[in-house]
Amino acid sequence: MKLFFRTYSLKFKYPFGVSGHTRSETQSVFVAIEHEGLTGFGEACLPVYLGESLTETLHFLESSRVLINKFEPGNDLDAFLAKLDSLSPVCNAAKASIDIALHDLLAKRENKTVARWRNIPAMKSRSTSFTIGIDSEEVIIQKIREAAAFEVLKIKAGTANDHALIELIRKHTNKPLYVDVNQGWKQKEYALEMVQWMKTQNVVLLEQPMPKEMKREMQWVTARSPLPTFADESVKRLCDLEQMDGAFSGVNIKLMKCTGPNEALKMIDYCRNHNIRVFLGCMAESSCGTAAMAQLMALADYVDLDAPELYVNDPFVGLGYKKGKIWLNDEPGLGVRWLGSPFCESQFSENYI
Ligand code: MG
């Protein structure tokens, strides 16, 4: 198999703020893996808070070339991904890009969607929350209007103004809210007080209320919380999930954290066997990375996969957003097509699929 990759900057419609910083674009690297005239696409999405640099991502992809060249359809994917994983202790987004591209390619070879190829129940569409970042009052109101079709809003909180933020939103909509605190609350008593108040404001779940280092404090909060709590920064991979020890009632699984769909499926299995709720989310991927997670959406309790809706220059098509839902098509693989300028050989040939 042959690996190609190129960098790409995804531009937001509005600058996007989370607890800590605001950005106007997201650096991504798109990969293409080719074999016998078919191409699988993948994505490494690198928002600054992920902590993975473009340089190390490109270096990892370059160093994985030898392994990919030797990989053949029919080889053990799990064993291959374990070898790929051992090339570096970090670079999870780069690993995810390869896993996503292999899922796309191998499912296309069998003329199946990724979901069907992985024996996941078929699901064409599902409600997703719409994310509203930390912003000025005017922009937040504007975004609430734009999100009219979405049934649930996901709010980025974690500043000293969380009360005012929720009160502002409640002046304009009564929709259920997911609140992502992004580690913003530093004291367990304050966190519990806030959760109890948010329960009265039709908040339905809370994500990463406290810093990831504060596991004991989160065990204390979760044991008393009237709302389910979800780990994000605290749980990247299966090994983190196995050590969660009741600190959260659920986990937000993201492909860029967990190295791709193969490990995400293992994490979902673990959750089902340990009474942990499953939230499928994304960093800020284009339609490529988002479609890869959407292929697993039948297995989720909650879905937050709206990232492509936040961009103006998504280079993939195929994933739809209608009536507050994310829609998959029936095309083999991920169900997305690259629209950008060609960056792999088959894109110059007539047989490009
Ligand atoms: Mg989060």
Side-chain angles (χ1 to χ4, degrees):
M1 292 187 179
K2 275 174 103 171
L3 171 72
F4 301 84
F5 52 90
R6 55 161 291 172
T7 60
Y8 193 93
S9 183
L10 290 159
K11 315 273 186 211
F12 283 114
K13 284 180 201 162
Y14 301 100
F16 191 77
V18 297
S19 174
H21 60 91
T22 296
R23 67 188 199 278
S24 57
E25 57 184 38
T26 306
Q27 180 67 60
S28 267
V29 181
F30 293 116
V31 314
I33 297 180
E34 287 188 346
H35 187 71
E36 295 178 345
L38 286 175
T39 307
F41 289 99
E43 174 175 11
C45 176
L46 304 169
V48 179
Y49 55 78
L50 185 65
E52 296 182 10
S53 74
L54 179 61
T55 309
E56 67 185 344
T57 299
L58 296 175
H59 182 261
F60 181 89
L61 290 171
E62 200 52 63
S63 68
S64 68
R65 218 182 264 288
V66 179
L67 277 182
I68 292 169
N69 285 347
K70 286 188 207 152
F71 187 70
E72 296 276 341
N75 288 170
D76 184 339
L77 179 64
D78 213 37
F80 168 79
L81 293 172
K83 257 191 226 163
L84 186 76
D85 196 16
S86 69
L87 293 180
S88 165
V90 287
C91 293
N92 292 352
K95 291 169 187 173
S97 70
I98 294 169
D99 187 19
I100 293 168
L102 285 174
H103 272 73
D104 191 25
L105 175 66
L106 295 171
K108 276 175 178 164
R109 276 181 62 86
E110 296 195 22
N111 203 29
K112 293 176 178 170
T113 62
V114 165
R116 192 152 164 246
W117 183 62
R118 292 300 308 242
N119 294 315
I120 297 165
M123 184 176 263
K124 270 196 90 85
S125 70
R126 184 153 184 183
S127 288
T128 169
S129 51
F130 182 86
T131 303
I132 296 181
I134 291 172
D135 222 312
S136 67
E137 201 170 314
E138 297 73 42
V139 175
I140 287 173
I141 294 167
Q142 165 85 9
K143 286 182 181 172
I144 292 171
R145 283 198 203 110
E146 283 182 25
F150 291 84
E151 290 167 9
V152 181
L153 302 179
K154 184 173 179 186
I155 307 298
K156 293 287 188 181
T159 72
N161 303 322
D162 290 344
H163 263 106
L165 173 67
I166 303 292
E167 280 164 3
L168 168 71
I169 290 164
R170 281 291 166 252
K171 278 188 208 159
H172 299 274
T173 175
N174 290 319
K175 286 179 183 174
L177 302 177
Y178 301 159
V179 173
D180 186 357
V181 186
N182 282 116
Q183 314 185 77
W185 299 338
K186 315 293 183 198
Q187 286 180 323
K188 65 179 193 221
E189 292 81 5
Y190 176 75
L192 183 60
E193 220 174 88
M194 287 298 283
V195 182
Q196 285 165 339
W197 177 71
M198 286 194 178
K199 165 86 177 162
T200 69
Q201 301 297 309
N202 199 20
V203 172
V204 293
L205 69 83
L206 220 60
E207 189 172 305
Q208 197 70 41
M210 306 191 72
K212 58 177 189 272
E213 299 76 20
M214 301 181 86
K215 180 173 164 183
R216 290 178 71 172
E217 287 83 350
M218 268 316 300
Q219 288 169 327
W220 186 90
V221 173
T222 294
R224 292 160 180 78
S225 174
L227 294 176
T229 59
F230 284 76
D232 187 4
E233 289 85 344
S234 288
V235 173
K236 286 187 169 182
R237 302 195 57 176
L238 179 61
C239 56
D240 305 317
L241 186 57
E242 288 167 345
Q243 289 169 23
M244 204 165 75
D245 301 328
F248 298 88
S249 25
V251 59
N252 188 337
I253 301 172
K254 297 178 179 175
L255 299 179
M256 296 302 125
K257 291 192 296 182
C258 77
T259 73
N262 197 58
E263 184 150 327
L265 287 167
K266 290 182 187 179
M267 292 176 78
I268 293 169
D269 259 2
Y270 184 91
C271 288
R272 292 293 168 233
N273 291 328
H274 293 81
N275 198 25
I276 296 169
R277 297 193 206 194
V278 174
F279 192 167
L280 296 185
C282 54
M283 288 289 172
E285 290 91 319
S286 72
S287 288
C288 177
T290 307
M293 191 54 118
Q295 292 284 338
L296 317 187
M297 66 188 174
L299 305 175
D301 296 312
Y302 306 87
V303 169
D304 175 39
L305 294 173
D306 64 331
E309 281 290 272
L310 308 179
Y311 289 121
V312 292
N313 64 340
D314 187 342
F316 287 89
V317 289
L319 195 62
Y321 288 90
K322 265 185 302 188
K323 298 179 180 168
K325 292 182 175 179
I326 183 169
W327 294 75
L328 287 168
N329 59 41
D330 296 324
E331 287 181 26
L334 299 173
V336 295
R337 290 167 186 246
W338 167 261
L339 283 187
S341 54
F343 74 101
C344 55
E345 287 168 3
S346 68
Q347 288 181 296
F348 294 100
S349 80
E350 291 177 343
N351 297 329
Y352 172 62
I353 292 175

